[in-house]
Amino acid sequence: MNREEDIRQAVEVMRRGGVILYPTDTIWGIGCDATNEEAVRRVYDIKKRDDSKALICLVDSDHRLQRYVSDVPNVAWDLIEYATRPLTIIFDKAKNLAPNLLAEDGSVGIRVTREEFSRELCYRFQKAVVSTSANVSGEPSPACFDDISDEIKNAVDYIVQSRRKEKTKAAPSSIIKLRPDGEVTIIRK
């Protein structure tokens, strides 16, 4: 199957409220429509994770980021542009996302992905896509596709074909919290 068809199938599954397993700009992730509360609930169930722990999502562009954050501080654009590795930013005042995706304070972690497959997936889907590590909560994050448990693989509705053979161990993103006044707090380096 070619990449275009793979993305088309993944998008169709998410449009129907399904959950996918897909490669991201960091590690393999469990994903769904970030605006669909029931799909987000399924992701929490698959991970056996308490929904008080917020999930992050990916978008394909700066433009799409603005659809989900009420007030993007100006410094965010420089941080995104000059980041040397994937950077997840936690923004206050999220909007247009499933309520159970957000932290208790209404914030959300969003990453503008530059990696080819996940960027194209987000672009074709035209919405934010949940991106959480493909593991049961508390277990190690899989370094590559072969490390993902059968439990996770059997729980999703579609497993992307692309990039399964890669063995490179990817690192998780850096995470910062960005306040409306531009104050930055490092969560994970």
Side-chain angles (χ1 to χ4, degrees):
M1 170 184 307
N2 67 33
R3 190 180 81 174
E4 188 69 30
E5 178 62 18
D6 205 11
I7 289 172
R8 190 191 66 71
Q9 288 192 23
V11 165
E12 283 305 310
V13 167
M14 289 191 295
R15 284 189 179 138
R16 292 191 311 262
V19 176
I20 65 169
L21 186 59
Y22 70 110
T24 74
D25 54 343
T26 58
I27 59 179
W28 274 75
I30 300 171
C32 70
D33 178 349
T35 68
N36 182 323
E37 191 169 359
E38 186 54 41
V40 171
R41 185 173 294 112
R42 279 199 53 219
V43 171
Y44 283 116
D45 290 345
I46 289 167
K47 287 189 64 76
K48 298 180 180 163
R49 183 173 173 174
D50 182 1
D51 68 1
S52 68
K53 288 184 142 190
L55 299 172
I56 69 163
C57 52
L58 298 181
V59 294
D60 63 311
S61 66
D62 296 351
H63 173 73
R64 192 134 9 248
L65 169 65
Q66 293 178 83
R67 185 184 297 174
Y68 301 111
V69 178
S70 293
D71 183 25
V72 178
N74 287 334
V75 69
W77 306 119
D78 288 338
L79 290 168
I80 292 166
E81 182 177 349
Y82 296 111
T84 57
R85 58 182 268 214
L87 174 66
T88 300
I89 301 177
I90 300 171
F91 295 97
D92 287 339
K93 298 182 184 169
K95 62 181 183 179
N96 303 320
L97 293 165
N100 56 343
L101 178 73
L102 310 179
E104 290 178 0
D105 66 0
S107 65
V108 65
I110 299 180
R111 186 165 68 249
V112 178
T113 180
R114 293 186 180 121
E115 182 273 326
E116 202 173 319
F117 184 89
S118 56
R119 187 181 69 232
E120 183 73 12
L121 177 72
C122 292
Y123 174 76
R124 296 279 176 215
F125 189 53
Q126 294 287 297
K127 292 183 186 178
V129 176
V130 166
S131 180
T132 183
S133 57
N135 61 307
V136 171
S137 195
E139 293 182 2
S141 297
C144 60
F145 179 78
D146 291 343
D147 293 342
I148 301 169
S149 72
D150 287 340
E151 179 179 4
I152 296 293
K153 291 175 184 173
N154 293 330
V156 300
D157 301 306
Y158 183 72
I159 302 174
V160 166
Q161 303 293 312
S162 301
R163 295 183 46 203
R164 286 190 185 187
K165 291 182 173 37
E166 292 177 7
K167 301 297 181 203
T168 307
K169 297 196 184 293
S173 68
S174 298
I175 301 176
I176 63 170
K177 183 161 178 74
L178 184 57
R179 307 301 278 183
D181 64 3
E183 178 188 333
V184 173
T185 304
I186 297 171
I187 307 296
R188 180 173 68 201
K189 284 186 177 188

